Amino acid sequence: MNATRPEKIESTETETVDTDLAAVTEVEAGIRDFVRNDIAYLRRPATPTTDAPPLDPSAEATVTNVNSLIQRVAGTSLAEIENLISELESLRDLLHAEGQRVQREISGYAQLSQAAMKSTRMISDNVAQWKRAADGLRNS
């Protein structure tokens, strides 16, 4: 009795998931269709048709003014963006050069540190030899 019950639960869960998935797919398709129909007029070419009434001169002037305003604002924005891009590129080059300089200096300091360690070892070895020689002279 217990063996058949989990199978029924699993089949019910599978059916529920399938139903939910179908509903989600249907809603997404409806949204896609709505958006396509809603913005379809924006994709049409802006050529005047014989069916469309001509715009009055004031509306046409307004459209022209708005277009020129958008072009000026976009032009200024594009110029600023291009300036920022060139500044960022020069900063990138500066940071790259500084990174290489720091790497060279670190390498120089590492070599200097190794030379100092070798010198210190040589000095301590010589002092140890002198101490042994002095101790040998005192003991004799």
Side-chain angles (χ1 to χ4, degrees):
M1 194 177 248
N2 289 338
T4 57
R5 195 168 190 200
E7 291 173 5
K8 288 181 181 179
I9 292 173
E10 286 180 12
S11 65
T12 306
E13 289 175 357
T14 305
E15 290 172 3
T16 304
V17 169
D18 290 343
T19 306
D20 291 345
L21 190 59
V24 167
T25 306
E26 185 179 335
V27 169
E28 286 178 351
I31 291 172
R32 254 187 255 112
D33 291 340
F34 176 75
V35 169
R36 284 183 186 146
N37 292 335
D38 193 38
I39 63 168
Y41 72 93
L42 295 174
R43 293 185 185 168
R44 292 186 190 127
T47 57
T49 61
T50 56
D51 298 340
L55 292 175
D56 62 347
S58 64
E60 196 169 316
T62 303
V63 169
T64 304
N65 288 340
V66 168
N67 284 339
S68 66
L69 176 66
I70 289 172
Q71 287 175 352
R72 280 186 282 161
V73 170
T76 304
S77 298
L78 286 175
E80 288 181 21
I81 289 171
E82 288 175 359
N83 287 338
L84 287 173
I85 288 172
S86 65
E87 286 180 21
L88 288 172
E89 286 174 345
S90 65
L91 284 174
R92 181 191 62 201
D93 294 340
L94 175 72
L95 287 174
H96 183 69
E98 285 297 307
Q100 289 178 341
R101 182 188 62 81
V102 168
Q103 285 178 350
R104 284 191 306 271
E105 287 190 16
I106 289 173
S107 176
Y109 287 132
Q111 290 174 355
L112 182 64
S113 175
Q114 288 176 354
M117 290 293 291
K118 286 180 183 177
S119 298
T120 305
R121 278 192 205 117
M122 288 174 61
I123 292 170
S124 68
D125 290 344
N126 287 339
V127 169
Q129 286 177 0
W130 293 343
K131 186 176 178 184
R132 276 184 258 134
D135 287 343
L137 287 176
R138 281 188 217 153
N139 291 337
S140 39

